[in-house]
Amino acid sequence: MKPIEKFSQLLKDFGVVLHFSLKISFKSSPKYFMIRVVVNLVNIILPFATISLNGYLVNLLTQGGLTSDHLTPLLFLVLITLVAKGASSVSNTILTYCDGMHREILTQFNRAEIIKTVADIDLSFFDSNEFYNELNDANANAMTISFAAFQAMDFFRSFIQLIISVVYIS
């Protein structure tokens, strides 16, 4: 197999795991899933909004003497900057809370799915060491697979922020 074909297959496999992970995460708790997605999207934009606002604030302060004409825009920019920083703090708190809650719900959901699957299996499998090994693997790896989507989302968020940073700097 050629290296390009191997890489293509690797991307395809990653896509399958990511799709499965997203499906399980959404199925376990649509509410926390959507909140996490929205807050992650907000967290992409907020740092750059804060940087831009601080830049405008610095420009306004360095333009020269503060006159009454500059006072209103200055106060407005200070207020908006504080709101953006507060929103960033609040969004990180929400993300941390939702992450913990979603993890717990997802853990319970995965355990219930494994129990449902085991309940439908023929009793003869319970005498097999291979069955117990697979069951232990399923228990151990269920959370890793379930959170692959959010690990990928964190990677993509960081990548998008990197691209925005490069564009913003140039």
Side-chain angles (χ1 to χ4, degrees), residues 67-94:
T67 63
S68 61
D69 293 338
H70 290 114
L71 191 58
T72 303
L74 176 67
L75 291 175
F76 182 72
L77 276 174
V78 168
L79 179 66
I80 296 297
T81 302
L82 290 174
V83 167
K85 288 184 182 195
S88 179
S89 220
V90 167
S91 71
N92 286 330
T93 302
I94 290 170

Side-chain angles (χ1 to χ4, degrees), residues 46-107:
L46 276 177
F48 299 104
T50 304
I51 290 169
S52 295
L53 289 170
N54 285 330
Y56 291 134
L57 191 57
V58 168
N59 288 340
L60 189 61
L61 289 172
T62 57
Q63 283 178 352
L66 283 176
T67 63
S68 61
D69 293 338
H70 290 114
L71 191 58
T72 303
L74 176 67
L75 291 175
F76 182 72
L77 276 174
V78 168
L79 179 66
I80 296 297
T81 302
L82 290 174
V83 167
K85 288 184 182 195
S88 179
S89 220
V90 167
S91 71
N92 286 330
T93 302
I94 290 170
L95 190 60
T96 301
Y97 173 77
C98 288
D99 182 54
M101 293 299 290
H102 198 201
R103 280 183 191 273
E104 185 60 35
I105 291 169
L106 202 49
T107 300

Side-chain angles (χ1 to χ4, degrees), residues 84-162:
K85 288 184 182 195
S88 179
S89 220
V90 167
S91 71
N92 286 330
T93 302
I94 290 170
L95 190 60
T96 301
Y97 173 77
C98 288
D99 182 54
M101 293 299 290
H102 198 201
R103 280 183 191 273
E104 185 60 35
I105 291 169
L106 202 49
T107 300
Q108 298 303 322
F109 180 82
N110 286 334
R111 286 182 183 154
E113 289 296 312
I114 290 171
I115 289 170
K116 283 181 202 172
T117 302
V118 168
D120 293 337
I121 292 177
D122 187 65
L123 291 176
S124 64
F125 285 103
F126 287 90
D127 292 333
S128 167
N129 285 337
E130 288 180 30
F131 171 75
Y132 282 107
N133 289 339
E134 288 189 29
L135 184 60
N136 285 334
D137 284 345
N139 278 323
N141 295 324
M143 293 310 297
T144 303
I145 291 173
S146 297
F147 285 104
F150 290 102
Q151 291 169 344
M153 187 181 298
D154 288 341
F155 171 77
F156 289 128
R157 182 184 71 208
S158 297
F159 185 72
I160 290 169
Q161 284 179 329
L162 175 68

